[in-house]
Every structure is written in C-alpha cells, then in structure tokens.
C-alpha cells in the first residue's frame, strides 16, 4: 500500500474523503501579492521609499528591478506552487516608458501585465497606491483637509477602478480593486469625526460610477495603526465595517491590522453576516504590523478552518500581504503561499460533521479528544500526493529549486 493510500484509509476511518479535499483545494485561487518581489518599491520612474508606514526590511540580493524581472520571478514562484493562481498588482507597478502621475494612469500602462497573465492563466487583482507619493507625505490622502489633494487621490482611485474593470473584462472574471489609504495622525486628534466624514465623501465620489460587478469588485481595507499614525487611523475597522455594509463593497481583513492578541479568524463569521464578500490579506504580525512571511501556524490554520467550517470559501477571496527582504524573495512567496494552501488542505481534511455533532450535543469532551487526536493524522501524505498530481516539488527537491533560482537572481545589482 502506498503512503498516500494508507493516509487515505486513515482519514476514511474518520469519515473524511481525501480525494474530495484534493479536488476542492485545486479550485481555490490564492492572490499572490506582487510587492513581495521588490520590497514595495514599484516601477514609477522616481526614487523614494514606500512611505505610509509600510516597511520592508532587509537587503537580500535579487530584488526585481523591472517588470520583466518581476514577471520572471513570479513565473518561477507560481511554478513551485500547486494550484490556481492570481496576481495582486498595485498601481505603482505600471509597465511603460511614460511617466504618468497617479491621476493620469491608464489601462495601456498595464496592458503588458494582462497579456502576460492571460498567457500564464493567472487572474489579476488590483490596488490604487495611496502611499509613496509627495501628495501622501502628510499621511493624509482621501481624508486630507485640502480639497485639491483629495481630488487628486479621488481621480487616482477612479482610474484604478477603470483599469481593474478592464482587467476583469479582458480576463473574463472579476478583478478586485482594494482600497487602503494610510490616512491617520501620529498624535491624538481633536477632531476624529471630520477626517472620517471626508474619507467617506471621497470614497463615495471615487466609487460613484457603477461598473459591471462581473469585472470589478471594490474592497476596502481598515488598519488599526501604522508608523506615523499611531494615535488614529481614519479608516478604522469600525469605519470600514460600517462602510462596506452600507455601500455593498467587499471588506478586506488584513491579519496585521488589529490589536496583536485579536483572533482575526473569529471575525469571519460575524463580518459575513453583514457583508456579502470578504477579502483577506493573510499576513503575520510580530508585535506590530510587521508583515512577516506567513507560517503554517495556529493563526493561519484557524483562518482556514473558519473558511471551511463556516462555508465561506465561496464568498471569500484569499490574498496575501507580507514582505520580507531578509530572505530570498521568491522563496518567501513560494513557502508563504504553500503554507496558506497547506492550511486550507488541513481544514478540508477535518471530520467536521463529527466535531459539529459533538459540539451541538454539548459533548465538549469528545470535541476536545477529537481535535487533539486528529492532529496526528498524516496530513503530509495528502499534501505530498497533491503536489505530485499537480507536478510541484516537495521537501528537499523544492529547497533545491528555490536555492538554484535564488542563485540566478542574486547576480542582479
Ligand atoms: C498596508 C496594507 C496594504 C499594503 C499593500 C501594499 O498596511 O496592509 O494592504 O500592505 O497595499
Ligand atoms: Zn494589507
């Protein structure tokens, strides 16, 4: 009996069908974020740091400096990740010799990404870039007191919606355009209300045009604090939960954007009662919103378990948001994305019916015994089988691939 057949039998003893889990895992796309490949720098022809409190640390060799380098790195990463893929692009990643300001970007500046994505069978998601720009230096954009600055950013946002909708139309699926603004204050504001009203009005203006939801889905992302906006963020969780509920947008939950002890997985079932669809930025905060590469740890396993147990996979879009430049950037993508997939597979392999039965009968002893006993089931054998069927490497063979690709890109200046 093969290792997989043996594992299949062990799961079957618990009433779990490993084949069904594998088939379902194949259909769950993960939107990989382009910005892990270049430390959130982008391809605008100007210098400067990412700003907005976003901080990539490290100087590992091999940062992608051009769209072609980034695409080559992505292509390698995708080749090591079994399953269906999406790419999450930011507006600062345009591919053109022109130098449009943020309020001048057009679809043609991104057309090469669509050609490449279609060739590679990769769905595209998008984001307006409200940071790393002189008009964002006050850490105020859509909520800025100056109407001219607000209008600039509203125009940027409108253009990204148009571009995202055209991505969606060109690809025949919905592109998510996710709005995150850095707006906030370092010290205690006197007026917490006025900036929030301005943000709401700006968002309304930005989202006013009705676009086809088969091609575009708008999402809004909250944040608790950032460097330089410790005392107050305009777009807090409550702000956007209310906004998304009232306006019908998606709500983006970034795992680094809450108090460090909050359980983000616990929020899914509550949020899902108020909003139609959810976007996740799966990330790993360490003491603060540090955007560490995600591990296969309890927080990720809990997230995946909630998605499966609450039947939310059909209306949750899984995106990643981490960036680490102290290690191989391509390895970070591959290991982090595979960790998300491993977590989903583990969740799909849980004997949920039996666990639910124990719980609903208030038999917490059985529930407890089961959750602990099933931790010893051979999840790794099912993952290895999945990788083999999808032609992706595992273990030492994977490490060799990652290492050899990294040594090729290490020669970049
Ligand atoms: C910032 C937000 C946001 C960004 C990306 C680059 O704290 O998490 O999602 O990380 O847009
Ligand atoms: Zn995020």
């Amino acid at each position: 009996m093969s290792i997989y057949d043996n594992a299949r039998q062990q799961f079957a003893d618990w009433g779990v069908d490993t084949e069904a889990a594998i088939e379902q895992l194949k259909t769950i796309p993960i939107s990989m974020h382009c910005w892990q490949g270049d430390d959130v720098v982008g391809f605008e022809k100007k210098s400067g740091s990412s700003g907005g409190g976003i901080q990539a640390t490290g100087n590992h060799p091999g940062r992608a400096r051009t769209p072609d380098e980034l695409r080559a790195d992505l292509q390698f990463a995708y080749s090591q990740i079994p399953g269906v893929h999406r790419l999450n692009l930011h507006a600062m990643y345009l591919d053109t010799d022109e130098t449009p300001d943020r309020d001048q970007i057009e679809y043609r500046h991104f057309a090469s990404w669509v050609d490449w994505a279609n060739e590679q069978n990769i769905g595209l998601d998008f984001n307006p870039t409200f940071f790393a720009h002189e008009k964002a230096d006050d850490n105020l954009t859509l909520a800025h007191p100056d109407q001219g600055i607000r209008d600039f950013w509203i125009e940027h946002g409108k253009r990204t919606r148009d571009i995202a909708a055209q991505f969606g139309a060109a690809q025949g699926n919905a592109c998510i355009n996710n709005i995150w603004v850095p707006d906030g204050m370092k010290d205690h504001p006197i007026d917490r209300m006025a900036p929030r009203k301005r943000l709401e009005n700006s968002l309304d203006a930005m989202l006013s045009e009705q676009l086809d939801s088969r091609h575009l889905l708008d999402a809004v992302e909250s944040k608790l604090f950032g460097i330089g906006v410790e005392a107050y963020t305009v777009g807090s969780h409550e702000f956007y939960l209310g906004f998304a509920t009232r306006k019908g947008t998606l709500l983006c939950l970034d795992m680094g954007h809450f108090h460090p002890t909050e359980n983000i997985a616990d929020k899914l079932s509550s949020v899902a009662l108020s909003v139609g669809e959810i976007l996740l930025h799966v990330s790993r905060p360490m003491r603060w919103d540090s955007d560490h590469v995600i591990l296969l740890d309890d927080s990720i396993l809990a997230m995946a378990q909630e998605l499966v147990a609450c039947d939310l996979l059909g209306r949750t879009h899984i995106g990643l948001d981490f960036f680490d430049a102290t290690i191989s950037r391509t390895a970070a993508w591959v290991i982090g994305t595979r960790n998300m997939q491993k977590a989903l597979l583990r969740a799909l392999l849980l004997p949920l019916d039996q666990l639910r039965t124990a719980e609903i009968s208030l038999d917490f002893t059985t529930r407890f015994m089961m959750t602990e006993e099933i931790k010893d089931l051979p999840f790794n054998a099912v993952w290895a089988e999945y990788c083999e069927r999808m032609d992706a490497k595992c273990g030492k063979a994977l490490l060799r691939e990652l290492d050899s690709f990294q040594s090729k890109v290490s020669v970049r200046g």
Side-chain angles (χ1 to χ4, degrees):
M1 208 192 240
S2 76
I3 295 177
Y4 171 67
D5 285 336
N6 186 289
R8 183 178 177 171
Q9 191 54 53
Q10 287 189 57
F11 280 101
D13 288 346
W14 287 93
V16 172
D17 179 354
T18 55
E19 288 297 311
I22 287 176
E23 285 312 308
Q24 199 175 349
L25 186 62
K26 279 184 194 168
T27 67
I28 308 175
I30 312 280
S31 193
M32 214 167 76
H33 50 313
C34 71
W35 53 92
Q36 162 62 50
D38 79 327
D39 314 340
V40 211
V41 175
F43 302 128
E44 291 169 319
K45 307 220 164 4
K46 61 169 186 55
S47 57
S49 67
S50 42
I54 297 177
Q55 197 124 5
T57 44
N59 57 359
H60 204 76
R63 190 181 77 79
R65 298 155 305 173
T66 64
D68 283 336
E69 286 182 352
L70 188 58
R71 282 190 281 264
D73 294 356
L74 283 162
Q75 223 160 297
F76 166 72
Y78 287 129
S79 74
Q80 304 303 318
I81 302 166
V84 272
H85 310 300
R86 297 186 67 82
L87 171 66
N88 197 6
L89 265 187
H90 238 283
M92 66 184 347
Y93 287 79
L94 70 185
D95 182 5
T96 172
D97 291 332
E98 296 172 46
T99 53
D101 203 348
R102 300 270 172 89
D103 62 341
Q104 296 166 332
I105 51 167
E106 292 182 24
Y107 177 76
R108 65 195 159 85
H109 301 131
F110 299 88
S112 59
W113 283 107
V114 181
D115 295 342
W116 174 80
N118 282 344
E119 232 173 71
Q120 302 288 320
N121 203 15
I122 287 164
L124 288 173
D125 294 310
F126 203 45
N127 304 260
T129 310
F130 291 102
F131 51 87
H133 189 282
E134 60 191 14
K135 288 198 168 65
D137 281 350
D138 297 320
N139 277 331
L140 288 163
T141 61
L142 291 178
H144 202 289
D146 182 307
Q147 166 119 40
I149 293 189
R150 291 203 301 281
D151 287 345
F152 173 86
W153 289 114
I154 291 168
E155 182 61 26
H156 174 60
K158 285 184 171 177
R159 282 172 184 253
T160 61
R161 290 184 78 229
D162 272 347
I163 293 165
Q166 290 185 67
F167 285 177
Q171 297 204 291
N173 67 34
C175 171
I176 298 181
N177 194 45
N178 177 53
I179 304 163
W180 172 75
V181 296
D183 294 41
M185 292 187 204
K186 185 176 177 76
D187 226 326
H188 304 294
I190 294 303
D191 190 345
R192 289 175 181 266
M193 179 62 109
R196 289 189 167 133
K197 283 186 175 161
R198 289 196 294 267
L199 177 56
E200 167 133 339
N201 288 337
S202 295
L203 288 168
D204 283 344
M206 180 181 151
L207 300 173
S208 58
E209 193 186 347
Q210 280 287 333
L211 292 165
D212 191 337
S213 63
R214 286 169 309 172
H215 301 149
L216 170 75
L217 295 171
D218 298 293
V220 290
E221 178 180 1
S222 69
K223 187 159 172 168
L224 177 66
F225 81 97
I227 293 177
V229 294
E230 287 85 355
Y232 167 73
T233 52
V234 185
S236 61
H237 178 55
E238 291 74 11
F239 176 91
Y240 280 124
L241 179 60
F243 185 89
T245 305
R246 285 178 291 120
K247 315 280 173 162
T249 67
L250 277 67
L251 184 72
C252 173
L253 298 174
D254 182 308
M255 292 175 69
H257 290 190
F258 296 87
H259 284 284
T261 60
E262 269 184 276
N263 174 358
I264 319 306
D266 174 65
K267 298 177 190 302
L268 289 173
S269 46
S270 298
V271 163
L273 292 175
S274 291
V275 306
E277 294 184 41
I278 298 170
L279 171 64
L280 294 181
H281 273 188
V282 183
S283 190
R284 178 165 60 104
M286 196 181 290
R287 306 188 191 280
W288 72 293
D289 180 26
S290 57
D291 288 298
H292 279 66
V293 183
I294 58 171
L295 304 177
L296 186 61
D297 64 6
D298 286 349
S299 68
I300 306 301
L301 290 167
M303 204 57 145
Q305 185 175 322
E306 285 307 297
L307 291 175
V308 174
C310 300
D311 197 18
L312 289 174
L313 281 168
R315 55 192 182 105
T316 306
H317 306 262
I318 305 174
L320 308 176
D321 190 1
F322 51 75
F323 28 96
D324 188 343
T326 66
I327 57 176
S328 163
R329 294 172 186 78
T330 44
W333 261 329
V334 172
I335 304 290
T337 310
R338 287 169 63 116
N339 278 344
M340 186 68 231
Q341 296 179 320
K342 285 185 187 178
L344 288 165
L345 179 62
R346 284 189 183 226
L348 293 167
L349 289 170
L350 291 176
L352 283 173
D353 289 342
Q354 291 177 59
L355 286 161
R356 273 198 201 98
T357 305
E359 183 163 287
I360 208 161
S361 336
L362 306 188
D363 184 357
F364 301 132
T365 308
T366 298
R367 186 187 64 184
F368 173 68
M369 293 190 301
M370 276 182 69
T371 57
E372 298 321 288
E373 219 27 45
I374 57 187
K375 284 178 180 166
D376 296 329
L377 285 174
F379 295 100
N380 67 325
V382 185
W383 171 254
E385 176 72 14
Y386 174 65
C387 287
E388 197 179 316
R389 290 186 196 177
M390 304 298 283
D391 220 9
K393 301 212 162 45
C394 267
K396 283 186 183 165
L398 174 65
L399 300 191
R400 276 194 298 274
E401 291 286 332
L402 295 177
D403 207 34
S404 110
F405 188 82
Q406 178 57 38
S407 46
K408 279 183 223 150
V409 298
S410 282
V411 298
R412 289 175 187 162

